[in-house]
Amino acid sequence: MEIGIDSFAAIFPAAAGARQPSRVERMEALIEEVETADRVGLDIFGIGEHHRKEFLDAAPSVILAAVAARTRNIRLTSAVTVLSANDPVRVFQEFATIDLISKGRAELTVGRGSFVEAYPLFGFKLADYDALFGEKLELLLKLRESTQVEWSGRFRAALDGIGVFPRSHQPRLPIWLGVGGTPQSFVRAGMLGLPLMVAVIGGDFDRFRPLVDLYRQAGVQAGHSLADLKVGVHAIGFVGETTDAAKDAFFPGWSYMFTEIGRERGWSPATRAQFEAMCGPRGSFLIGDPETVAAKVLRASEALGGISRITFQMSSASLETDSMRRSIELLGTEVAPIIRQSANLGIKHG
């Protein structure tokens, strides 16, 4: 199982008595986080895409290019690229360039996004939400396979075989499909034979099993090998020396983020009780000491019939820079070895 981190480059108001980092300081800390993840042997680091005041990841390809030059082994991906509001030609060119800088470590995770700011910002209609994604995904996959593409659609100028350069260092740039809870998205990923990245930000892992099964069934029916139908999970997570320390470091940022988002969507303010429940045995938050987190990851894998990748969304603890770096170290040096050893031995965790 590949183990990694996703970041949204969050920059939240400082807690009482603390100083809020500047945007420059937060970006510097993010680059150091990726370097730390590379140093401790984690497999993957992803940068999200948002167009909001709380995040600094509006241009993820720029951040990934910067860290590509400062890392050696870790794979670098988007988490996710909001493909519906992007030009697939530019997306391919940007990530092919990152692949060249990193000597073959770039990936793409594409999706429609959980926020809608990108659509009006770049002149697209929300009414075309799904049509935009379907058309642009089709073009992106064609661009991956061929330098010269002949293509036409509704939302972009046609291509008449003009070359698209540069080409990636990898013969075939990996493209994952990021999904939430829409059955059609799972079916689409299966039919296309694309690896699946499931965003689990609440509830429990078991509720996604029928959707993951749907993905696998659709893939096999479309003629794809079950071994090629990889499933990854993006989940909220944080590792501390103790479970209480991990919770205390993570809760303030999580509370702020979900209270702000909830206010926009008509939800009640986030509470500590909700947070504690999600950190419990049945919740999907991978928060705690190394042994607790490792056991929970293994249970999540069993619940979903086996997963190939797990990425921790740690951005909510972004103000705690020392805690963040230590959490990344613990994830790489203590959590990852437990997971890998247990997976190799076939140990089950109930």
Side-chain angles (χ1 to χ4, degrees), residues 43-243:
D43 299 296
I44 190 85
F45 203 108
I47 302 293
E49 180 189 341
H50 300 84
H51 302 271
R52 301 171 57 91
K53 64 180 181 180
E54 301 95 344
F55 308 109
L56 300 177
D57 61 350
S61 61
V62 177
I63 301 173
L64 290 169
V67 298
R70 293 176 57 167
T71 53
R72 292 181 177 273
N73 299 306
I74 197 165
R75 297 191 66 78
L76 304 168
T77 187
S78 54
V80 302
T81 294
V82 183
L83 187 60
S84 306
N86 275 282
D87 180 352
V89 173
R90 292 299 289 161
V91 168
F92 180 83
Q93 290 176 321
E94 289 166 357
F95 279 83
T97 303
I98 295 167
D99 202 48
L100 296 175
I101 296 170
S102 67
K103 300 180 178 66
R105 292 183 284 124
E107 298 187 1
L108 263 166
T109 302
V110 299
R112 295 177 293 186
S114 58
F115 296 94
V116 299
E117 290 83 3
Y119 293 84
L121 183 62
F122 296 109
F124 297 104
K125 298 178 181 178
L126 276 174
D128 296 323
Y129 183 79
D130 190 62
L132 279 163
F133 183 72
E135 179 177 297
K136 294 187 176 188
L137 179 60
E138 175 192 23
L139 176 54
L140 180 64
L141 295 177
K142 286 181 179 292
L143 292 166
R144 178 175 69 166
E145 302 302 325
S146 177
T147 304
Q148 283 82 27
V149 171
E150 294 187 1
W151 176 91
S152 64
R154 290 174 55 196
F155 303 106
R156 192 203 184 280
L159 296 177
D160 60 0
I162 189 171
V164 176
F165 303 100
R167 306 307 296 178
S168 60
H169 177 69
Q170 296 173 91
R172 203 161 183 258
L173 190 67
I175 298 176
W176 292 62
L177 188 60
V179 299
T182 307
Q184 293 86 347
S185 296
F186 286 79
V187 170
R188 172 161 35 207
M191 292 180 66
L192 292 171
L194 294 175
L196 184 78
M197 179 56 69
V198 185
V200 181
I201 61 172
D204 57 54
F205 294 102
D206 296 88
R207 71 187 179 96
F208 286 89
R209 179 60 182 268
L211 294 169
V212 170
D213 287 345
L214 191 63
Y215 160 71
R216 291 177 171 134
Q217 291 164 7
V220 171
Q221 290 173 1
H224 302 291
S225 167
L226 192 59
D228 293 333
L229 298 170
K230 297 180 181 179
V231 175
V233 170
H234 158 100
I236 290 172
F238 196 76
V239 190
E241 304 285 355
T242 68
T243 294

Side-chain angles (χ1 to χ4, degrees), residues 33-47:
E33 289 163 19
V34 187
E35 290 177 313
T36 300
D38 186 42
R39 175 173 55 81
V40 300
L42 291 174
D43 299 296
I44 190 85
F45 203 108
I47 302 293

